[in-house]
Amino acid sequence: MTGNVLGLGIGIAAFGVAIGLGLIGYSAMQGMARQPEAIGKLQTAMLIALAFVELVFLLVVFIVPGSVR
Amino acid sequence: MKAVFETAPLLLAAAGKEGEKGHHGPSFVGLFVYVALVLAVLFALMAYAKPGMSQRVFSGRKLLGLPILGSFEQIYLFIEQMCVGTIGSHGRKYIPMIMTFWMVIFVGNLVALFFPTSPTADLSFNLGIALISIGYVQWEGMRANGVFGHLKHFAGPKLPGALILISAIIFVIELISELMKNVSLSLRLFGNIDGGHQAAVAMNELGKHIIDLGGFELSIPFGAFLLPIKLLTCVVQAMIFSLLTCVYLSLVTHHDDHGDDHGHAPAPAH
Amino acid sequence: MSQEHNEKGGAPAIVLIVIGVVLMFGGMILSDQTKEAAFIKALAEQGIPLDIGKTVATIGVFMILFPVIKSFFTNPLQEAIGQRNTDLERTFSEAESLRGQMTEMKADYERRLVETEAQAREQIQAQIREAQDLRKTLMAEATQQADSMKKRAQEEIEAERDRALTGIRLQVANLTLQATERILGENMDTDRNRRLIDEFLDQIEVPAS
């Protein structure tokens, strides 16, 4: 039973993180389309942002199961 | 206990089938067999590419139609651009270190595509790299600002009088965040590579014995369809690791760079 | 944790390598020692398979790896790329200077061409002027000569005419004298008579045109 609830929780975390990643990609692509000369800088900033958002999900995956136990 | 294995599907889907051993990663000797494999690949490529350096044009020798030295040159230029773009003009001296990180992580990730495990799919190895990276950042910060200046850097902006308490709190928080940088660097790499690995294994599970041809069961390796995106992850994770190291270095050695910037180019105001 | 190792980061590579080897063996021992440690087990239960020994050994591996890769590959690559860049730059600057030289030479050539043209034109004009001068002087000379010749001819004509006139006059006078002599039967060829006839002839003389 706890297992199912935890799975649901991780699913919710993935949902939020997916939205966040999508937003980053969306805005970065919009920025690139508007200013193609700034693609390099935008990509760097986008990758850093992606890494940090992704980290949230990884933390959830690694820490939540242990702490709920 | 059992719940944990059931509920972390990304990481642990295959753990039940493979047993406890797969979950714990390779043993000490196993890990270093893989490290030796990665380094062997890397050094073989480097030794293969090295004779071409004396030529005027880097055409060099090709392996499977891929100009090895040209690829190394592109990596070098990419890293140089990253270092100089993020850290500033004095970032050039960090290129060998960042490039070593990039190459080792990239080859490690590639090994993870074809082998059951790999150095970068092991949290302990990743934590080691992250500790080196952050430790080097601290060392560079101390060299740039002095030990005391570097510690003061943690305390945030200078606050007057009684607000020194807040500075103390900021100091502690910064210290924790510095430690968390290690965790985040290593966990990100581990989660991406090992997670991709587990996802591939789980998808292979899905396709196991999916077609029954009258007693002869066919399996479809669905996990193979993940290879393109895993290849992308290989590059992106190697890049993110080196990029974040660059960013941390630039944060720490920012001050003299700032002074230089103002000294050389005071004019451009956007 | 790794700080004290990195304190010696500026040290020569051999120190780093020694530290790396020590760390690798230390990691091996540490891995054995901490296998049953409580916090490792706790982390493993949480799905985080951490082995401190491996981490320490990894740090050791990288301590060795950095100087090795740096001297084995990165520095030569850096040098080669730098040298190639300077080579290219030098070639470019050479080409640039050659082009500059060529432009200079071309400008020089053009300047000389213009100069030559101007010189030639000047010469031609000078020649023309000279020829014109010559023509003028020749014309003047010729005119002068013609004039003088004409004058001489006129003088000659006049002299001839005068001589003829004088001859005729003499003839007439002689004839008249002879006629008169014959008529008068005596020699009238005296000075006085002659003067008389001359006077007479002067009176009847028509203007010599």
Side-chain angles (χ1 to χ4, degrees):
Chain A
M1 186 57 210
T2 358
N4 294 339
V5 174
L6 277 176
L8 186 66
I10 287 177
I12 292 171
F15 174 73
V17 167
I19 289 178
L21 292 176
L23 276 177
I24 291 169
Y26 165 76
S27 45
M29 251 177 230
Q30 228 174 16
M32 285 178 201
R34 283 197 188 144
Q35 281 184 304
E37 69 273 7
I39 279 184
K41 283 182 177 178
L42 283 174
Q43 264 174 346
T44 309
M46 180 187 82
L47 279 173
I48 293 178
L50 286 181
F52 278 112
V53 173
E54 206 178 42
L55 182 69
V56 173
F57 181 65
L58 290 173
L59 286 177
V60 168
V61 167
F62 282 110
I63 289 167
V64 168
S67 57
V68 173
R69 166 177 60 101
Chain B
M1 229 24 304
K2 207 70 190 146
V4 176
F5 295 135
E6 287 165 11
T7 53
L10 186 70
L11 292 166
L12 308 171
K17 306 283 182 197
E18 287 197 348
E20 297 284 65
K21 213 173 148 215
H23 165 226
H24 280 298
S27 66
F28 185 88
V29 177
L31 172 70
F32 282 93
V33 168
Y34 275 101
V35 171
L37 173 69
V38 167
L39 293 185
V41 170
L42 198 55
F43 274 93
L45 286 176
M46 289 195 292
Y48 193 73
K50 215 179 168 191
M53 272 182 207
S54 52
Q55 289 170 0
R56 191 182 163 92
V57 177
F58 282 3
S59 54
R61 291 194 280 176
K62 289 187 177 181
L63 192 65
L64 302 176
L66 185 73
I68 299 296
L69 186 56
S71 313
F72 274 119
E73 187 199 358
Q74 288 306 315
I75 294 171
Y76 176 85
L77 292 178
F78 170 71
I79 301 281
E80 185 186 29
Q81 193 193 354
M82 196 160 79
C83 282
V84 174
T86 320
I87 305 176
S89 54
H90 66 287
R92 211 169 283 273
K93 67 175 175 179
Y94 303 122
I95 292 176
M97 180 207 177
I98 305 284
M99 194 170 170
T100 306
F101 272 141
W102 199 95
M103 291 191 300
V104 170
I105 294 173
F106 180 67
V107 176
N109 292 353
L110 281 188
V111 164
L113 291 184
F114 302 109
F115 288 88
T117 184
S118 101
T120 47
D122 184 3
L123 185 61
S124 315
F125 182 86
N126 294 344
L127 186 61
I129 314 179
L131 281 175
I132 285 225
S133 162
I134 300 299
Y136 187 68
V137 169
Q138 306 306 323
W139 162 244
E140 277 301 314
M142 283 178 195
R143 259 208 336 202
N145 308 324
V147 177
F148 192 70
H150 184 62
L151 288 180
K152 212 164 71 181
H153 190 254
F154 283 140
K158 208 167 198 166
L159 292 172
L163 290 175
I164 196 127
L165 201 66
I166 294 177
S167 278
I169 294 170
I170 291 176
F171 183 79
V172 172
I173 290 173
E174 283 281 338
L175 219 56
I176 292 172
S177 101
E178 211 67 22
L179 289 176
M180 282 306 287
K181 277 178 188 172
N182 289 313
V183 177
S184 83
L185 277 178
S186 57
L187 211 58
R188 180 179 300 117
L189 193 51
F190 169 63
N192 272 284
I193 303 306
D194 193 52
H197 214 87
Q198 305 288 4
V201 170
M203 282 180 77
N204 283 342
E205 268 322 300
L206 283 180
K208 212 169 220 173
H209 311 309
I210 201 168
I211 302 171
D212 193 347
L213 295 171
F216 183 70
E217 285 173 335
L218 263 183
S219 298
I220 299 177
F222 284 124
F225 297 123
L226 281 178
L227 272 177
I229 202 157
K230 280 171 79 180
L231 189 59
L232 186 69
T233 311
C234 288
V235 182
V236 168
Q237 288 310 312
M239 186 187 150
I240 281 179
F241 192 97
S242 28
L243 187 60
L244 282 176
T245 307
C246 278
V247 170
Y248 295 151
L249 276 172
S250 83
L251 285 180
V252 156
T253 59
H254 187 62
H255 287 298
D256 46 28
D257 184 40
H258 205 64
D260 274 357
D261 268 0
H262 278 269
H264 289 311
H270 292 283
Chain C
M1 184 187 278
S2 65
Q3 215 151 284
E4 60 266 1
H5 313 308
N6 275 327
E7 294 273 9
K8 300 179 184 77
I14 190 80
V15 178
L16 279 180
I17 291 177
V18 168
I19 293 175
V21 171
V22 168
L23 279 179
M24 276 174 75
F25 282 104
M28 203 185 280
I29 296 164
L30 196 62
S31 176
D32 238 22
Q33 294 295 311
T34 56
K35 202 161 267 176
E36 302 301 320
F39 76 102
I40 300 284
K41 287 208 152 178
L43 279 175
E45 272 174 12
Q46 205 167 316
I48 303 177
L50 186 66
D51 185 343
I52 295 294
K54 283 192 212 166
T55 303
V56 172
T58 302
I59 293 173
V61 168
F62 269 79
M63 287 274 162
I64 299 170
L65 205 56
F66 282 135
V68 169
I69 284 191
K70 191 174 175 185
S71 61
F72 179 71
F73 194 72
T74 324
N75 275 357
L77 183 67
Q78 208 163 356
E79 257 168 43
I81 289 177
Q83 191 176 355
R84 197 194 49 182
N85 282 354
T86 49
D87 256 16
L88 277 179
E89 265 163 32
R90 210 183 48 223
T91 314
F92 268 119
S93 65
E94 264 173 22
E96 196 70 22
S97 74
L98 270 179
R99 213 181 59 166
Q101 266 179 13
M102 235 170 65
T103 316
E104 211 173 284
M105 273 163 68
K106 203 179 141 197
D108 193 41
Y109 167 75
E110 271 171 4
R111 190 166 44 78
R112 249 191 296 174
L113 200 69
V114 168
E115 255 175 33
T116 316
E117 257 176 27
Q119 224 170 342
R121 208 177 307 132
E122 211 171 282
Q123 265 177 358
I124 290 172
Q125 272 175 352
Q127 294 279 354
I128 290 174
R129 212 175 306 130
E130 213 175 307
Q132 276 176 345
D133 282 353
L134 195 65
R135 197 184 114 215
K136 233 179 260 173
T137 45
L138 278 177
M139 286 268 284
E141 246 173 55
T143 318
Q144 205 180 341
Q145 220 170 345
D147 278 355
S148 70
M149 274 169 77
K150 216 164 80 184
K151 209 192 280 172
R152 212 182 314 143
Q154 262 173 351
E155 274 169 9
E156 264 173 29
I157 289 169
E158 267 174 23
E160 285 291 325
R161 200 186 58 189
D162 281 355
R163 212 182 314 149
L165 271 179
T166 320
I168 287 171
R169 203 177 283 170
L170 204 64
Q171 197 81 18
V172 168
N174 280 342
L175 279 176
T176 314
L177 276 180
Q178 278 175 0
T180 317
E181 200 176 18
R182 197 156 299 167
I183 292 169
L184 292 180
E186 83 184 59
N187 191 12
M188 291 194 50
D189 194 8
T190 57
D191 283 346
R192 191 174 152 252
N193 286 349
R194 194 166 293 271
R195 207 184 55 235
L196 277 173
I197 291 164
D198 276 348
E199 279 171 11
F200 169 74
L201 277 178
D202 277 343
Q203 277 169 6
I204 65 161
E205 193 178 18
V206 285
S209 59

